[in-house]
Amino acid sequence: MSNVRAYNSPLREEKARETREAILAALFELMDSASAADEISTEAIAQKAGVQRRTVFRHFTTKDDLLAAFWPWLNARIGVSATPKNLKEIVGGPRQAFPRFDTHEAAIRASLHSRTGREMRIGTVANRRANFARALAPAIASLPPAEAEKVESLAHLLFSASAWEVLKDYGGLTGTQAGETASWALEVILSAVTSGHSPADVASQMEISNED
């Protein structure tokens, strides 16, 4: 009997992973095509995933748990780092992410403007702040707290889907152009708070810190 359980366990685990992926993919497809993302229900997600509603709740106890899991999953699907580990990843983040946002534009916009999307993103804020604070620390450690807070806030803004959207809609830029613009702005800001260094010097410092 124990041998049967041991043999079946990997199969069950794989099935559970497949089901979880199907649920997250279903939410993505609904957000990518829904005209009103706030109307996405657990029933709709279950139907799209081809599972029972109770199955969704077996994998995600509440809808909040599902939403909290979705944003990191979406970033991974797009190929965007949601947890920058150093200055280089923050500064280069928009260049990498914004063109990819273009390929999933409906879902990204839904995450910005729907209640479902806002709830999803709010759940990641605390972790995001902690990651940005650690990554920015080498550049802003010597600043007064109020100024360091300003730099962190601007980094959050410029490396965000909101910046991507504003630069596209108001600046008339493509995702690629928006990414270049936001990354350039981050370089300028960091050079301004790193006395005596140009944006190129800051980029060089980032390379050195990564090697360390």
Side-chain angles (χ1 to χ4, degrees):
M1 183 71 68
S2 61
N3 289 337
V4 173
R5 284 199 298 270
Y7 176 76
N8 287 335
S9 179
L11 297 178
R12 286 197 299 269
E13 291 175 1
E14 179 61 26
K15 180 61 177 178
R17 283 193 293 270
E18 290 176 357
T19 301
R20 179 184 174 89
E21 179 73 14
I23 292 168
L24 291 166
L27 177 55
F28 167 73
E29 290 181 29
L30 290 168
M31 290 191 73
D32 206 32
S33 60
S35 58
D38 285 339
E39 297 176 3
I40 297 175
S41 64
T42 304
E43 289 80 2
I45 295 168
Q47 183 177 6
K48 189 74 172 176
V51 300
Q52 298 294 317
R53 183 173 182 270
R54 64 176 177 270
T55 302
V56 176
F57 287 114
R58 275 207 301 270
H59 289 269
F60 304 96
T61 306
T62 67
K63 192 172 182 181
D64 286 343
D65 291 336
L66 171 58
L67 295 173
F70 180 80
W71 189 240
W73 177 89
L74 178 59
N75 283 333
R77 183 186 180 105
I78 295 173
V80 174
S81 173
T83 55
K85 299 178 179 63
N86 51 52
L87 288 172
K88 183 179 180 181
E89 289 188 5
I90 288 182
V91 172
R95 286 193 180 99
Q96 177 192 42
F98 290 8
R100 297 177 184 183
F101 287 169
D102 276 1
T103 64
H104 302 286
E105 185 160 347
I108 298 299
R109 288 185 184 272
S111 77
L112 290 172
H113 299 294
S114 65
R115 177 180 53 79
T116 299
R118 287 192 297 273
E119 289 174 354
M120 176 179 67
R121 289 182 295 107
I122 285 297
T124 70
V125 168
N127 188 50
R128 176 183 167 91
R129 284 178 176 163
N131 284 321
F132 270 63
R134 282 193 295 268
L136 288 166
I140 64 176
S142 62
L143 294 179
E147 291 186 17
E149 185 177 35
K150 292 175 183 176
V151 175
E152 284 190 22
S153 297
L154 285 169
H156 281 291
L157 171 62
L158 289 166
F159 186 5
S160 72
S162 296
W164 162 82
E165 183 181 58
V166 169
L167 289 168
K168 280 174 65 71
D169 292 354
Y170 291 89
L173 305 180
T174 65
T176 297
Q177 291 169 330
E180 289 293 335
T181 300
S183 287
W184 169 80
L186 284 165
E187 289 169 355
V188 170
I189 290 167
L190 288 170
S191 72
V193 300
T194 308
S195 179
H197 294 290
S198 68
D201 291 330
V202 173
S204 177
Q205 287 180 358
M206 290 187 294
E207 292 290 347
I208 294 171
S209 67
N210 290 336
E211 292 173 1
D212 293 340

